[in-house]
Amino acid sequence: MTESIDDETVDGLAERLYDAYRRGDPLDAATLPDLDVADGYAVQRAVADRREVDEGPSVGYKVGFTSAAIREELGVDEPAYGRVLADTVREEGRLDDGDDLIDPKIEPEIAVRLATPLDPPATPVDALAAIDAVVPVIEVVDSRVADWELTAGSAVADNALAARVVHGDRIADPAAVDLPLEGVVVRRNGERVATGVGADVLGSPARVVAWLAEALADRGERLAAGDLVSTGSLTELVSLDPGDTVEARFATLGSVTVSRGYCSD
């Protein structure tokens, strides 16, 4: 797929998004160029190149917009992927850098780790054969575009809204988990606010992994052994405001909890 913007525009927007991420200061949507999805991936790669200096190499991918509820909420019409950098993967607990986030929200997700590479054409059965571990996660998403005024292109450029991946302490054998039927209940400050199941992400997390293999191949990349793939939110977005604690309790995978501190003066 070919971008419609030139290298100078890609580089300039990547620098602005990187600065917005680093400072926690969002960009005005009205100042962004009109981006198609191919443009967005070019910018995303350029932003990741800058961030890797501080946050380490990519350890996998997050797939977003895999549920109809999220696509409707954000106004996009197809899934997208972003890159997960090493230092953005955290153990559950309080976000020690939560004050640097802009307007974070959480997504309960099923993440998987690949034992072998996965190349297209790939089916969900092929994806399951490549997976050697299943992990419950909360993905903390954030928009470096003010007020979440996103287009498909700008959402992709903004690393598909990735911020942090917070994992639980349980690693499951994929053969022991019925991925489409794995359910989750989300509670914020003790109140039940959302529910979902694995089938809400393209029918199955395995189907998401197969989709990702195809999408990466379209851009000359591939899923490698050891890659972590977070397969998309099982529910609508849940706010994570200062002082909040959010728990995602999965049917068989255990629970993951994340909290956000109050902003300091």
Side-chain angles (χ1 to χ4, degrees):
M1 296 184 180
T2 304
E3 306 88 52
S4 62
I5 56 176
D6 59 29
D7 291 345
E8 183 178 356
T9 303
V10 168
D11 193 62
L13 183 53
E15 188 64 30
R16 292 179 64 204
L17 281 167
Y18 170 66
D19 191 58
Y21 174 85
R22 186 168 55 88
R23 294 176 180 271
D25 186 13
L27 304 179
D28 184 342
T31 70
L32 301 180
D34 185 19
L35 302 174
D36 62 24
V37 170
D39 297 332
Y41 281 115
V43 174
Q44 180 190 119
R45 177 70 269 179
V47 175
D49 289 343
R50 289 161 169 79
R51 287 181 49 196
E52 284 177 1
V53 175
D54 303 317
E55 295 181 295
S58 173
V59 294
Y61 300 88
K62 61 94 54 175
V63 185
F65 324 138
T66 51
S67 75
I70 296 292
R71 288 195 298 274
E72 181 176 355
E73 188 168 358
L74 296 178
V76 298
D77 57 10
E78 61 182 341
Y81 65 83
R83 301 167 197 279
V84 175
L85 303 186
D87 288 352
T88 68
V89 180
R90 307 292 172 83
E91 295 181 352
E92 63 179 335
R94 177 171 168 170
L95 292 175
D96 57 9
D97 57 356
D99 293 350
D100 296 333
L101 300 173
I102 298 167
D103 184 14
K105 304 179 189 299
I106 74 100
E107 298 180 335
E109 305 198 10
I110 296 169
V112 300
R113 185 182 65 201
L114 299 188
T116 61
L118 184 63
D119 295 310
T123 67
V125 173
D126 297 328
L128 279 174
I131 294 167
D132 72 344
V134 179
V135 184
V137 303
I138 284 176
E139 186 186 349
V140 181
V141 293
D142 201 10
S143 174
R144 274 63 63 168
V145 179
D147 301 320
W148 289 72
E149 292 187 10
L150 301 161
T151 65
S154 65
V156 170
D158 194 19
N159 202 29
L161 310 178
R164 307 287 180 265
V165 175
V166 180
H167 62 82
D169 58 6
R170 181 172 181 184
I171 299 175
D173 183 337
V177 183
D178 189 330
L179 292 175
L181 294 182
E182 181 69 14
V184 68
V185 175
V186 181
R187 288 183 169 85
R188 184 178 61 224
N189 304 325
E191 179 185 358
R192 178 169 166 161
V193 292
T195 61
V197 295
D200 289 330
V201 292
L202 299 186
S204 167
R207 189 176 298 278
V208 174
V209 176
W211 174 90
L212 179 60
E214 299 277 355
L216 288 171
D218 287 344
R219 295 169 180 88
E221 301 182 56
R222 73 186 301 222
L223 278 171
D227 275 347
L228 176 74
V229 180
S230 193
T231 60
S233 184
L234 306 186
T235 72
E236 63 271 23
L237 296 172
V238 175
S239 295
L240 183 64
D241 297 326
D244 279 350
T245 296
V246 177
E247 179 195 36
R249 182 171 293 277
F250 292 82
T252 66
L253 294 173
S255 64
V256 188
T257 301
V258 66
S259 62
R260 185 184 181 199
Y262 288 98
C263 296
S264 58
D265 294 333

